[in-house]
Amino acid sequence: MEIQKKLLKNDSLDKLFAQLKSAGKIIIAPVRKGDQTYFCRVESASEIDFDYIQTVKSAKEIVFPRIEKLFDYKIEQDSQKISETDLEKFSEIVLFGIHPCDIIAFRALKTVFTWDYTDNYFIARQNKLTIIGLSCAKHDEYCFCTTMGIDPGETAGSDILFTKLSTGDFLAEIVTEKGKTIVDIGTELFLPDPVVNKLDYITKVPLLFEVKELSKKLENMFESPVWDEMSLRCLGCGACAYVCPVCSCFDIQDEGKIYSGCRYRCWDSCGFGQFTLHTSGHNPREEQFQRWRQRIMHKFLYQPDRQQVMGCVGCGRCSRACPVDMNILEHLLSLTI
Amino acid sequence: MRDNIYKPYLMRIEKITSEAPEVKTFQLKFINEDEGKNFSFKAGQFAEYSAMGEGECTFCIASSPTRMDFIECTFRRAGKVTTALIGLNEGDIIGFRGPYGNIFPIDDWKGKNLLFIAGGIALPPMRCVIWNCLDLRNNFKDVTIVYGARTVADLVYKHELKEWQERTDVKLIITVDPGGETPDWKGEIGFVPTVLDKIAPSSENTIAIVCGPPIMIKYTFPVLEKYKFKAEDIFTTLENRMKCGFGKCGRCNVGKYFVCKDGPVFTYAQLKSLPAEY
Ligand SMILES: Cc1cc2nc3c(=O)[nH]c(=O)nc-3n(C[C@H](O)[C@H](O)[C@H](O)COP(=O)(O)OP(=O)(O)OC[C@H]3O[C@@H](n4cnc5c(N)ncnc54)[C@H](O)[C@@H]3O)c2cc1C
Ligand code: SF4
Ligand code: FES
């Protein structure tokens, strides 16, 4: 559908939220806590941090929770039952104020979770999700979205994209049918196109290298000594994967007894030594440098090659979160020269 | 495909065979007969078997797709899940999901000689394809099986080895590692690559299928190359740690290939082009 432009007054936001809530939707938005911002459930617009650069954790939990129960089981000799979560019961969520890089990250996740085998937990959660994005007015030295091919005012992936104007009001670009249903809920709040130059309100993030060239270079870099040098200080703590909006590696575990319990899938990380450890003690990725290499190769070579999506959106979270200042952007830059 | 890709079929253990110390074969039957009727797989594929409450682990399907009355798996006690499985009894129920992975391209092998080389507990993945080929025996020329284990006690499928031994259309060579023989042992003594070298296999119109521990594979490939086997005609299977079995959990990859999706069957030619992440 063609993008429609509307104006939403700053003071209409609470009215919109009230209407969304009475339509049974939960609103999740960036909320400032001390000097950090997190995606949290909100009731009113006053709770929202509109000026944040990036949240500490991504919003992937909404579609890919840290722990997702897959089923309960009850096994007896003469009666066996596997009972599954009712996918219809997942809440309708409006994710408000998420930036374009994170929105594109949902696409990468979807590619993984639908690659030949469709993970219906993911899909059901995604179907219940409406995204009202917020284009970026600011960035910091960790951001490199444009290098990953994402514009800080990108509409793709949003159902509606908001851009904050100097008046404090919002330009609302309605991108999808799902976005239109939100407008339909609060029709009278959406005023005619304010006719502004959107670019004036969007930060300019420098393009730092050609990502296709990087992928090409990585093809021949498996045996390179750079991985060892780069990862010397990596602790293998997994914080980078935890905050990453694209990382989707998981583990499957049981909790319970042989006759009753449940099975769940939970976040895991290729940075952990046990991730690939065989029972025999053999480990194909025994050293931290092999695991760091896997992280970079997977995101910038394997994923684009196998799934036609980049495994990174340039949000910079991993670099901000790393306890020993591993900076992915620095590494990528050094790989491209 | 099932609605919930993580949901296992429930299977009843119909029969348990003790193959060797800490190695058992389970004969499994679908509790829901319709699920059993709709289930199909091909030689080379694997599945996730679960001892409920303990978790899942990966074994190949060791029975042949030409014999669909049962699904069989043979496994060695290794860690958590296999320890739980080995303690189960006939009649107990386990979870099973699959089949996953690629297949041995046996349709392409028509009219060729087949040379199977297996070591230790790696006979199970091979047994599936061996029976599959023997059940279609007319499609192939000479069938040779070289199988080695550490000791006589460690040989699995002892009754089937006997059956293959007695067949005139199969050449079976069994070997045990030096020191692993019993006083009345009549087979070969020596490591698989050494014994293979001794029988000097012809590569003429022949496909070699090699499964075994990494060390055996490592020393077997050069012997096959010595006898001019082409790398594309040598097949093997990889075992990387797995969880999902369908290309999502992220741990089984070798370079850009997922062992669970692109494998577990690879040719030696493919392995040569891959990083050694297995
Ligand atoms: C394609 C394939 C086919 C296999 N076929 C057989 C077979 O026919 N018979 C057999 O005895 N074994 C087979 N294995 C190895 C078998 O999967 C492991 O021995 C088993 O998973 C160990 O599980 P555990 O819970 O007892 O050990 P733990 O160490 O307690 O396991 C912890 C986790 O690690 C995983 N894991 C550990 N080692 C391996 C390994 N080598 N390969 C894969 N996953 C591992 C397990 O799945 C489990 O989730 C196969 C492996 C693969 C990948
Ligand atoms: S956050 Fe830093 S230290 Fe931890 S695994 Fe990632 S790169 Fe290594
Ligand atoms: S086993 Fe999960 S990706 Fe291969």
Side-chain angles (χ1 to χ4, degrees):
Chain A
M1 89 175 225
E2 201 180 324
I3 295 181
Q4 290 174 22
K5 291 184 184 166
K6 300 272 182 191
L7 178 77
L8 189 96
K9 291 279 201 186
N10 188 15
D11 54 14
S12 298
L13 211 48
D14 267 329
K15 288 181 207 140
L16 178 66
F17 283 5
Q19 287 169 350
L20 291 176
K21 283 191 289 177
S22 59
K25 297 181 195 292
I26 289 173
I27 302 161
I28 293 182
V31 172
R32 194 163 188 84
K33 295 192 170 171
D35 56 359
Q36 298 180 326
T37 301
Y38 292 89
F39 286 109
C40 302
R41 182 171 177 167
V42 299
E43 303 303 328
S44 77
S46 61
E47 296 168 62
I48 298 177
D49 176 5
F50 286 98
D51 298 321
Y52 81 106
I53 290 179
Q54 201 44 287
T55 56
V56 177
K57 296 195 295 175
S58 81
K60 72 179 169 193
E61 286 177 76
I62 295 174
V63 285
F64 173 42
R66 271 176 289 170
I67 296 172
E68 180 88 86
K69 196 205 272 184
L70 303 170
F71 55 81
D72 288 300
Y73 60 85
K74 236 185 164 66
I75 310 275
E76 281 150 18
Q77 264 311 322
D78 42 6
S79 89
Q80 305 84 27
K81 203 167 149 64
I82 291 191
S83 33
E84 297 162 88
T85 316
D86 181 359
L87 302 184
E88 290 304 314
K89 288 219 172 105
F90 292 149
S91 310
E92 293 271 356
I93 290 176
V94 175
L95 177 54
F96 181 90
I98 180 176
H99 286 324
C101 56
D102 280 358
I103 298 170
I104 295 296
F106 283 123
R107 283 195 178 170
L109 288 177
K110 183 171 179 180
T111 314
V112 172
F113 284 107
T114 54
W115 200 33
D116 293 352
Y117 291 79
T118 300
D119 183 318
N120 284 333
Y121 292 96
F122 178 89
I123 293 298
R125 289 189 185 277
Q126 198 176 47
N127 288 343
K128 297 268 176 137
L129 175 66
T130 308
I131 297 174
I132 303 184
L134 178 66
S135 53
C136 299
K138 296 198 261 191
H139 71 274
D140 66 10
E141 73 272 23
Y142 297 109
C143 293
F144 59 105
C145 52
T146 48
T147 305
M148 291 298 116
I150 300 160
D151 188 272
E154 176 98 47
T155 51
S158 280
D159 294 304
I160 304 180
L161 182 73
F162 275 28
T163 300
K164 199 172 177 196
L165 307 175
S166 48
T167 53
D169 300 333
F170 299 94
L171 163 70
E173 293 173 276
I174 297 113
V175 187
T176 65
E177 291 297 334
K178 224 182 199 176
K180 239 177 123 251
T181 59
I182 299 285
V183 176
D184 293 343
I185 292 175
T187 326
E188 73 290 352
L189 305 174
F190 287 86
L191 308 174
D193 184 357
V195 195
V196 292
N197 185 7
K198 178 177 159 190
L199 281 181
D200 292 346
Y201 301 97
I202 289 170
T203 186
K204 296 191 175 45
V205 183
L207 201 73
L208 299 170
F209 57 86
E210 195 46 67
V211 70
K212 287 222 163 67
E213 292 298 315
L214 171 69
S215 301
K216 215 182 277 166
K217 260 197 138 151
L218 287 173
E219 295 256 12
N220 302 312
M221 286 195 71
F222 194 87
E223 303 293 349
S224 163
V226 295
W227 308 114
D228 211 5
E229 293 158 24
M230 278 182 184
S231 62
L232 271 179
R233 65 177 188 274
C234 175
L235 309 169
C237 67
C240 44
Y242 191 82
V243 298
C244 176
V246 180
C247 276
S248 59
C249 289
F250 59 80
D251 193 2
I252 300 175
Q253 291 287 341
D254 284 11
E255 203 163 278
K257 296 276 190 293
I258 194 117
Y259 46 86
S260 90
C262 72
R263 180 162 298 161
Y264 58 89
R265 69 156 154 64
C266 56
W267 291 2
D268 205 341
S269 167
C270 64
F272 295 147
Q274 296 201 338
F275 191 62
T276 50
L277 179 67
H278 294 201
T279 320
S280 63
H282 171 66
N283 192 346
R285 295 198 276 268
E286 190 153 29
E287 306 281 343
Q288 200 59 37
F289 86 86
Q290 297 168 314
R291 308 198 271 272
W292 180 253
R293 173 177 63 197
Q294 162 68 14
R295 185 168 174 77
I296 301 292
M297 287 284 188
H298 185 230
K299 289 183 173 299
F300 300 95
L301 176 61
Y302 308 155
Q303 259 184 306
D305 186 346
R306 298 301 305 278
Q307 305 179 325
Q308 289 74 50
V309 287
M310 198 50 73
C312 172
V313 292
C315 71
R317 282 192 182 84
C318 52
S319 307
R320 292 187 201 97
C322 179
V324 292
D325 285 333
M326 295 270 286
N327 186 311
I328 197 166
L329 183 54
E330 275 172 25
H331 287 184
L332 297 177
L333 280 169
S334 76
L335 289 170
T336 47
I337 36 174
Chain B
M1 197 187 303
R2 313 198 83 194
D3 245 15
N4 179 352
I5 52 177
Y6 302 95
K7 182 177 166 180
Y9 300 110
L10 293 174
M11 310 285 272
R12 195 178 294 279
I13 306 171
E14 290 285 318
K15 193 174 150 209
I16 299 179
T17 312
S18 263
E19 302 283 358
E22 313 256 51
V23 180
K24 285 189 178 173
T25 296
F26 282 179
Q27 206 173 68
L28 304 168
K29 204 160 182 137
F30 287 85
I31 287 187
N32 178 328
E33 283 178 18
D34 287 338
E35 290 177 345
K37 274 187 207 123
N38 292 326
F39 182 84
S40 67
F41 73 100
K42 290 201 159 144
Q45 292 191 293
F46 65 91
E48 293 296 326
Y49 301 73
S50 47
M52 299 311 235
E54 298 294 335
E56 297 184 298
C57 62
T58 316
F59 309 136
C60 62
I61 301 176
S63 47
S64 166
T66 49
R67 303 170 181 207
M68 287 301 283
D69 292 345
F70 300 100
I71 295 290
E72 285 176 315
C73 66
T74 301
F75 63 95
R76 182 196 295 278
R77 188 173 83 86
K80 191 172 171 224
V81 182
T82 46
T83 300
L85 287 173
I86 215 156
L88 297 180
N89 299 310
E90 287 175 2
D92 284 344
I93 291 159
I94 68 167
F96 170 88
R97 61 182 176 89
Y100 302 121
N102 70 348
I103 60 172
F104 285 108
I106 54 176
D107 289 342
D108 302 344
W109 298 346
K110 277 190 187 140
K112 292 187 188 279
N113 305 309
L114 304 179
L115 171 62
F116 295 98
I117 307 159
I121 174 77
L123 192 57
M126 198 90 116
R127 175 193 187 228
C128 168
V129 60
I130 291 176
W131 276 122
N132 199 167
C133 292
L134 292 181
D135 286 346
L136 306 167
R137 186 64 189 86
N138 292 338
N139 287 352
F140 311 99
K141 294 203 157 136
D142 296 347
V143 173
T144 310
I145 303 168
V146 181
Y147 172 47
R150 261 182 318 159
T151 70
V152 175
D154 286 313
L155 294 166
V156 297
Y157 305 136
K158 293 188 179 71
H159 48 286
E160 289 177 31
L161 292 174
K162 200 156 159 267
E163 194 178 332
W164 295 340
Q165 194 116 50
E166 282 159 7
R167 282 176 76 139
T168 51
D169 59 353
V170 177
K171 185 171 163 198
L172 176 71
I173 297 134
I174 309 177
T175 180
V176 294
D177 291 354
E181 71 274 18
T182 49
D184 57 352
W185 176 244
K186 297 203 179 55
E188 299 282 335
I189 297 170
F191 297 107
V192 168
T194 321
V195 171
L196 185 66
D197 199 6
K198 214 169 89 186
I199 61 172
S202 161
S203 56
E204 180 70 33
N205 193 31
T206 305
I207 297 290
I209 304 101
V210 189
C211 292
I215 184 89
M216 182 206 103
I217 295 194
K218 186 171 159 202
Y219 289 107
T220 300
F221 285 157
V223 177
L224 291 171
E225 284 187 311
K226 177 177 161 190
Y227 292 99
K228 303 269 182 309
F229 278 82
K230 288 204 290 282
E232 307 81 77
D233 290 337
I234 304 174
F235 289 81
T236 188
T237 59
L238 291 186
E239 281 189 12
N240 262 4
R241 180 162 171 175
M242 296 182 178
K243 283 288 175 176
C244 68
F246 39 58
K248 305 200 194 303
C249 75
R251 55 172 61 49
C252 71
N253 70 300
V254 176
K256 66 183 175 196
Y257 297 103
F258 285 84
V259 176
C260 66
K261 232 165 161 285
D262 306 301
V265 178
F266 290 91
T267 64
Y268 183 35
Q270 285 173 311
L271 291 194
K272 280 182 165 180
S273 72
L274 290 180
E277 273 190 306
Y278 47 86

